[in-house]
Structures are given as structure tokens and as C-alpha cells.
């Protein structure tokens, strides 16, 4: 099987030549393959953020070889792996980065460790596996190499997996950790629309958002523009997550939260109340 597409995510940024070098390796091995740059602006070494972005993105990609490189353990004994998941092959470090994306593709059905010297660059470097290991392996797979040729089998149960984000649902209350904060400062929770419904909040006019000792009341809406500029709104975002956003503002900064922090949404009595940046 060959692939027309390689999807590529890293924390390399664009100031240096790291991304271009990986593109060049892919082009040298599989010149007809096209590369989709998912993002190269994952915060440095933030495996969890990279995993969340990959998982949000892969359902909308064509069948592809998906390469993820957020790799604080590069040069150590951590494994480089290739996973079969649905119609896709996922390649990167075995540090949990690929785990949520594999689930979004239907689950990992086979895995190998990237040990074959035939499918890597022969360099003395130990700190640039994106160029020397992952990019060439992806290009060879896209050009028709079978995943089993890349190295020895790895039991799927032995792969590193990030823990599931924390969610708790009770009548009238939904508690969840912040799953990801995007470029706009929108705060996507680990909870989804079903969780909101199970908590009995789906039909609420507004909800109270609690962060530590601070409380904020916000309407439950469908778009950012349902509130005035700078005010908060709770909605289901484009990835299906319950999200706290600020119209033309930065909700994460207003709430003072980051990925991994916990928020609580509760039902509130109908009637006048404060919406926006300040405590309720």
C-alpha cells in the first residue's frame, strides 16, 4: 500500500531549519508524496498538547502516514515506533504523543519499533530523530514499504499511553480538566456534549463556571458572538469539546487556567446575573 499524504506535527517552530530538513528527507525518498503541516508550534516539549492537537486533526485527514515529533526523550532509550490505526500509520516517539490520535483513528492494531537501519539516515547525530528516523520511515512507508519491515513487533499493550483526561459528571454539575488551550485562548475541556447532557446542563440558559474560589456566570451558546466583546460564553467547539471562550478575547487569561487545571460547570437559577470576565 502507498500513501499520497504525510501529515506532520512537531514542536520545532519555524525560526530554524528543522522542519525544512525533514521535508527535504521526505522529498528525497518519496518525491510524489504531499505533506500536510498540521502545526510546528506545539509548545516545546509539551507532549500532551501535541497529542491533543493530533487527536483533534486526524479524523479530518485523508488516509495518511502521520508523523508526530514532540520528543523530550530524544537520544535516550525511549522507542521510536510505527503504529497501524485504521487506514493510517502513525510514526513518532513512544511517549504517549500518538496515543490519543491512534484512538481517534479506531485504535492501534499493530506496532513496531523503528530499528531497521534500511529506513533511517546514516548519521552520527542522536538529537534529531525527526530528520534521521521518523521522516525517512514515514517516507518509505508512504512509498510502499510495509510497516513490518521497519523493525520488531511491539505488543500494543506495551505502548506508552497518556492518561485519559479527568471528567466527573453529577446531576447539575460537570467537572473536567482543561484539555487544551488554543491559539485564541479558548479553553477546551475534556468533557463533550454527551457529558453536558448527562449533567443536565445541555438545555440551560446559562451556567456558573468555577475556577478555585472564583465563579463566573456565562450563557450556554452556539457561537462567540452571542455575547458582547470580552464576555464569556460556554459552547460546544468544532472538535466536540465543551469549551469556555471569550468573544474577541482570551478566556484562558481571563480565567487564569492552563491545560490540566480543573473547572466546574453548574446550573444556576434563571434571571439576571453577571456574564463576563469578573467573578459572579
Amino acid at each position: 500500500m502507498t500513501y499520497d499524504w504525510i501529515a506532520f506535527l512537531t514542536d520545532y517552530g519555524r525560526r530554524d531549519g528543522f522542519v525544512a530538513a525533514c521535508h527535504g528527507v521526505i522529498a528525497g525518498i518519496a518525491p510524489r508524496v504531499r505533506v500536510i503541516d498540521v502545526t510546528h508550534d506545539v509548545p516545546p516539549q509539551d507532549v500532551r498538547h501535541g497529542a491533543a492537537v493530533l487527536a483533534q486533526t486526524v479524523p479530518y485527514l485523508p488516509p495518511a502516514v502521520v508523523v508526530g515529533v514532540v520528543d523530550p526523550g530524544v537520544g535516550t532509550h525511549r522507542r521510536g515506533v510505527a503504529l497501524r490505526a485504521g487506514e493510517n500509520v502513525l510514526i513518532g516517539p513512544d511517549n504517549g504523543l500518538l496515543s490519543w490520535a491512534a484512538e481517534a483513528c479506531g485504535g492501534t492494531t499493530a506496532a513496531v519499533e523503528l530499528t531497521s537501519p534500511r529506513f533511517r539516515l546514516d548519521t552520527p547525530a542522536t538529537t534529531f530523530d525527526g530528520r534521521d528516523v521518523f521522516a525517512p520511515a514515514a517516507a518509505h512507508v508512504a512509498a510502499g514499504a510495509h510497516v513490518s519491515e521497519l523493525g520488531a513487533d511491539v505488543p500494543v499493550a506495551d505502548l506508552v499511553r497518556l492518561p485519559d483526561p479527568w471528567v466527573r459528571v453529577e446531576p447539575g454539575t460537570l467537572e473536567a480538566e482543561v484539555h487544551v488551550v488554543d491559539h485564541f485562548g479558548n479553553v477546551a475541556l475534556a468533557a463533550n456534549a454527551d457529558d453536558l447532557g448527562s449533567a443536565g446542563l445541555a438545555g440551560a440558559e446559562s451556567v456558573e463556571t468555577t475556577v478555585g474560589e472564583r465563579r463566573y456566570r456565562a450563557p450556554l451558546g452556539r457561537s462567540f458572538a452571542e455575547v458582547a466583546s470580552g464576555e464569556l460564553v460556554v459552547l460546544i467547539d468544532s472538535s466536540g469539546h465543551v469549551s469556555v471562550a471569550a468573544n474577541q478575547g482570551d478566556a484562558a487569561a481571563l480565567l487564569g487556567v492552563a491545560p490540566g487545571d480543573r473547572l466546574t460547570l453548574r446550573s444556576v437559577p434563571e434571571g439576571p446575573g453577571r456574564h463576563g470576565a469578573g467573578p459572579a
Side-chain angles (χ1 to χ4, degrees), residues 176-203:
E177 71 177 71
V178 176
H179 188 51
V180 68
V181 174
D182 69 14
H183 171 73
F184 296 98
N186 298 318
V187 179
L189 305 181
N192 58 31
D194 289 340
D195 297 321
L196 197 70
S198 297
L201 300 177

Side-chain angles (χ1 to χ4, degrees), residues 4-18:
D4 294 328
W5 298 96
I6 290 174
F8 190 28
L9 171 144
T10 75
D11 61 351
Y12 289 159
R14 293 285 194 176
R15 291 180 57 184
D16 306 294
F18 303 132

Side-chain angles (χ1 to χ4, degrees), residues 238-278:
S238 60
S239 297
H241 292 276
V242 178
S243 184
V244 184
N247 183 21
Q248 302 178 56
D250 186 330
L254 291 172
L255 297 172
V257 296
D261 291 342
R262 295 183 179 184
L263 274 69
T264 302
L265 303 181
R266 291 188 177 91
S267 57
V268 295
E270 303 301 341
R274 182 184 176 95
H275 298 165

Side-chain angles (χ1 to χ4, degrees), residues 201-228:
L201 300 177
E205 178 181 315
S206 60
V207 296
E208 181 183 84
T209 300
T210 303
V211 184
E213 299 298 319
R214 292 167 289 129
R215 296 178 295 116
Y216 306 84
R217 183 170 172 179
L220 192 64
R222 293 173 55 86
S223 70
F224 309 111
E226 291 184 24
V227 295

